[in-house]
Amino acid sequence: MTLLCSDPVYWDLVNPMQGPEDLAYAEKRHIPSRFLRVKDDGVTALRVTRTPDPNVLFDLDQIARYALIFGRPGMENTWQGIAVDFAYRMHWRTLFGFALCRALCANSAGKTTLVRRMALVMARPGLYREAIEAFNKVYDELFAPQYGPQLTITQVHVPDDRGRNFSDDDAIRVLLYNHIPVEWVDHAYTYGVVYLEQQFHHPTMSLDIFREVDDERLERLQLYGTPAAIPQWDGWRELTEEDHYRLMFKHAEESVAGLFPEADGLYYYIGMDLNVGQLWKRTPAHGMMPSIGAATNIALTDCEMVDVTAAGGPTTPPITESEPLPAATNVAIEESAKTTEAGGSQPGKTAG
């Protein structure tokens, strides 16, 4: 698969390698030394790809670098919801949605279920906005979103045996409890859409829940339209020179092992609009007729929460040419986490 890069500095780069002989050739002649390291046994190899720091939750660029090598579509550990096109570019809105879910859901055996529910809430335009309006009718103090630069993030942790009981209402409760701005959830809409696309492309469970959510999504698009993006967090992330070489190495390793994971992955055509009406991968066999969505119920159930303190959170500054990327969010996790009962109202609020 040839890398298609718009930046002129990539025009003279070799194409991705086809086999082990190309790997040796690239090691000797095509990999700049600044990307290489010498291991203890004297073998030259690429520098290690740094794992995204859990304390820097919105380091979207590092998330993209790591996902490109270890979590791109088709791999056994595909990072769901992140859009990748045939030029191996990743969409910033989907990276943002992935990072937001990662920030809110604590690591546990049930994290996949929690993230799924978050993604399905993000995929339905206006759902979170309606929940905020309902919240404001119940409590004396109006919902106040937190934008930063200082953030307090409270992660949700549900015991493994209760993960299946985690519902859309619980996901909305976590967003409300953390004072997540509605603009952030609107911006993560693309992440929710791509998450749905991937479920229909390569089903791993019953599609009933995804059909129902997609039917409601289509109805809400007619009512609210496509949720707006935050301009500075929008568009596609282009490959860097280092990304190019890392991907060459990875392709060569996979070729030697007889692995071709991208054959089964969902990759988008270059220039394709992700914010579609009808899903690309939902075929007539999946059931195409939308049904009337159920009314939003925000009766929120109890779940265990762990406090995390954040600093330097993402904001929504105007887009600029000289500063295309938002600052990362640095999160300092307390050594002794405080457990909070989440069944009540937001801190400092009283029911009216």
Side-chain angles (χ1 to χ4, degrees):
M1 186 180 294
T2 301
L3 295 185
L4 304 177
C5 302
S6 58
D7 194 316
V9 301
Y10 305 127
W11 290 353
D12 295 328
L13 297 181
V14 295
N15 288 332
M17 296 171 290
Q18 304 300 316
E21 66 282 354
D22 292 334
L23 177 60
Y25 180 70
E27 282 183 344
K28 295 178 180 179
R29 300 192 54 181
H30 286 281
I31 306 296
S33 59
R34 64 183 180 277
F35 300 138
L36 299 175
R37 64 187 177 93
V38 179
K39 299 192 294 185
D40 294 339
D41 57 5
V43 176
T44 300
L46 277 176
R47 292 185 306 181
V48 176
T49 303
R50 178 171 59 87
T51 304
D53 189 343
N55 297 329
V56 188
L57 297 177
F58 286 90
D59 189 353
L60 303 188
D61 193 60
Q62 187 57 33
I63 290 174
R65 287 176 179 273
Y66 194 85
L68 177 68
I69 304 302
F70 299 107
R72 65 188 186 278
M75 304 191 74
E76 184 177 355
N77 187 35
T78 297
W79 288 15
Q80 298 289 328
I82 297 178
V84 185
D85 69 11
F86 282 106
Y88 295 104
R89 302 180 305 171
M90 296 183 180
H91 202 280
W92 288 113
R93 289 185 73 169
T94 64
L95 289 166
F96 179 87
F98 177 89
L100 182 56
C101 288
R102 178 170 172 256
L104 295 171
C105 301
N107 285 324
S108 66
K111 182 176 181 178
T112 299
T113 301
L114 308 187
V115 170
R116 179 186 305 123
R117 283 296 176 182
M118 288 287 183
L120 297 184
V121 168
M122 295 170 179
R124 284 172 278 184
L127 182 61
Y128 184 51
R129 191 180 300 273
E130 292 172 356
I132 292 176
E133 293 173 355
F135 179 93
N136 289 337
K137 293 178 181 179
V138 174
Y139 296 100
D140 295 334
E141 185 177 349
L142 298 181
F143 174 80
Q146 59 169 341
Y147 292 98
Q150 300 297 321
L151 299 175
T152 298
I153 298 295
T154 305
Q155 291 186 318
V156 61
H157 178 275
V158 178
D160 298 343
D161 59 348
R162 294 176 56 189
R164 293 189 177 184
N165 296 327
F166 192 82
S167 65
D168 293 341
D169 295 340
D170 296 319
I172 292 172
R173 177 71 181 91
V174 173
L175 292 168
L176 290 171
Y177 190 90
N178 283 283
H179 301 265
I180 300 301
V182 68
E183 295 91 344
W184 289 14
V185 176
D186 284 349
H187 186 68
Y189 166 73
T190 309
Y191 167 77
V193 171
V194 173
Y195 189 97
L196 280 174
E197 289 276 23
Q198 291 173 335
Q199 308 315 307
F200 286 104
H201 175 69
H202 192 262
T204 57
M205 56 180 289
S206 172
L207 291 176
D208 290 345
I209 181 177
F210 303 118
R211 281 195 295 264
E212 293 175 3
V213 168
D214 190 43
D215 291 346
E216 183 180 350
R217 181 187 66 86
L218 292 172
E219 293 179 3
R220 288 177 170 277
L221 279 176
Q222 295 295 321
L223 182 62
Y224 293 104
T226 302
I230 300 172
Q232 189 152 334
W233 299 70
D234 200 8
W236 292 91
R237 176 192 179 274
E238 299 285 347
L239 260 68
T240 65
E241 185 182 9
E242 184 173 1
D243 292 336
H244 179 94
Y245 288 123
R246 288 192 182 282
L247 199 54
M248 288 169 57
F249 253 68
K250 193 63 177 177
H251 279 165
E253 292 175 353
E254 292 167 350
S255 177
V256 171
L259 301 176
F260 304 96
E262 293 162 346
D264 296 325
L266 174 59
Y267 287 82
Y268 288 83
Y269 295 109
I270 298 172
M272 190 173 184
D273 183 10
L274 302 182
N275 299 314
V276 295
Q278 189 66 51
L279 290 180
W280 176 31
K281 291 297 180 177
R282 184 175 176 181
T283 67
H286 296 134
M288 300 298 290
M289 296 301 293
S291 59
I292 301 300
T296 303
N297 173 16
I298 63 165
L300 302 166
T301 61
D302 292 345
C303 55
E304 297 179 11
M305 314 289 279
V306 179
D307 285 350
V308 181
T309 302
T315 58
T316 57
I319 188 169
T320 61
E321 294 182 359
S322 60
E323 191 179 7
L325 300 180
T329 300
N330 299 318
V331 178
I333 300 179
E334 300 177 277
E335 292 184 1
S336 56
K338 177 183 176 183
T339 302
T340 305
E341 189 65 29
S345 62
Q346 293 190 49
K349 297 185 184 296
T350 56

